[in-house]
């Protein structure tokens, strides 16, 4: 979820109620703010918000059902998740590919922080910051090419 997302705000009370029922359902319910954890949004290939996953014994399934409390509880109690096809092996959050995707999301956040530091703290013009990144990219490419 993301705090600025209208759909996430709409489901928030339902999700909180679902979390309160978690002990009775013998499950763990959580939520992750993708603005604070960009690596997880890359690892889980989050393209829409909110995105709900069911995980059991390392197998991940994306929940695409209704977002009412009754339907969320029914999904677990009636074991409806068994009829849902697991996330493909290469797209699974535990796969090497998605570990790499998470790393790319972390790298993009790091680059954004450097850009903000250069432009905000040091007062460098935006285009000069871009030029620095272009030069760094070329130099890294040349170094790796050698």
């Amino acid at each position: 979820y993301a705090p600025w997302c209208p759909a996430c705000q709409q489901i928030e009370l339902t999700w909180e109620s679902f979390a309160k029922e978690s002990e009775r359902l013998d499950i763990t319910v959580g939520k992750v703010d993708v603005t604070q954890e960009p690596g997880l949004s890359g690892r889980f290939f989050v393209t829409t918000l909110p995105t709900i996953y069911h995980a059991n014994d390392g197998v991940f399934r994306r929940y695409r059902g209704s977002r009412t409390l009754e339907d969320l509880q029914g999904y677990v109690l009636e074991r409806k998740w068994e009829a849902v096809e697991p996330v493909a092996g290469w797209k699974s959050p535990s796969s090497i590919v998605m570990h790499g995707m998470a790393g790319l999301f972390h790298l993009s956040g790091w680059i954004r922080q450097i850009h903000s530091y250069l432009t905000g703290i040091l007062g460098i013009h935006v285009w000069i910051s871009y030029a620095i990144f272009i030069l760094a990219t070329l130099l890294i490419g040349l170094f790796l090419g050698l």
Side-chain angles (χ1 to χ4, degrees):
Y1 86 100
W4 49 262
C5 168
C8 298
Q9 294 167 358
Q10 187 176 16
I11 193 177
E12 189 169 7
L13 291 176
T14 302
W15 194 254
E16 295 295 327
S17 298
F18 185 53
K20 288 177 186 171
E21 294 288 321
S22 64
E23 191 173 319
R24 181 180 68 81
L25 297 170
D26 195 28
I27 60 171
T28 302
V29 175
K31 66 181 181 178
V32 176
D33 181 350
V34 295
T35 62
Q36 298 297 315
E37 298 291 338
L40 282 179
S41 67
R43 187 178 226 164
F44 281 83
F45 207 64
V46 174
T47 56
T48 59
L49 293 174
T51 299
I52 300 172
Y53 275 95
H54 173 268
N56 188 23
D57 294 330
V59 177
F60 296 87
R61 292 173 172 86
R62 185 157 174 198
Y63 177 77
R64 297 183 190 268
S66 170
R67 306 221 169 147
T68 65
L69 180 58
E70 295 77 24
D71 287 336
L72 289 167
Q73 290 173 336
Y75 186 78
V76 174
L77 289 172
E78 298 167 20
R79 300 177 70 91
K80 292 180 181 178
W81 52 269
E82 291 177 334
V84 176
E85 189 172 331
V87 175
W90 70 272
K91 278 180 151 182
S92 175
S94 58
S95 73
I96 297 282
V97 172
M98 297 318 275
H99 278 282
M101 184 70 80
L104 289 174
F105 274 66
H106 283 296
L107 177 64
S108 70
W110 185 68
I111 290 171
R112 191 173 337 138
Q113 287 177 342
I114 292 173
H115 176 71
S116 296
Y117 176 77
L118 292 173
T119 57
I121 306 295
L122 297 181
I124 295 174
H125 192 275
V126 172
W127 288 104
I128 295 174
S129 175
Y130 292 159
I132 291 170
F133 281 108
I134 290 169
L135 183 62
T137 302
L138 290 173
L139 290 174
I140 290 170
L142 288 171
F143 177 74
L144 290 175
L146 291 174

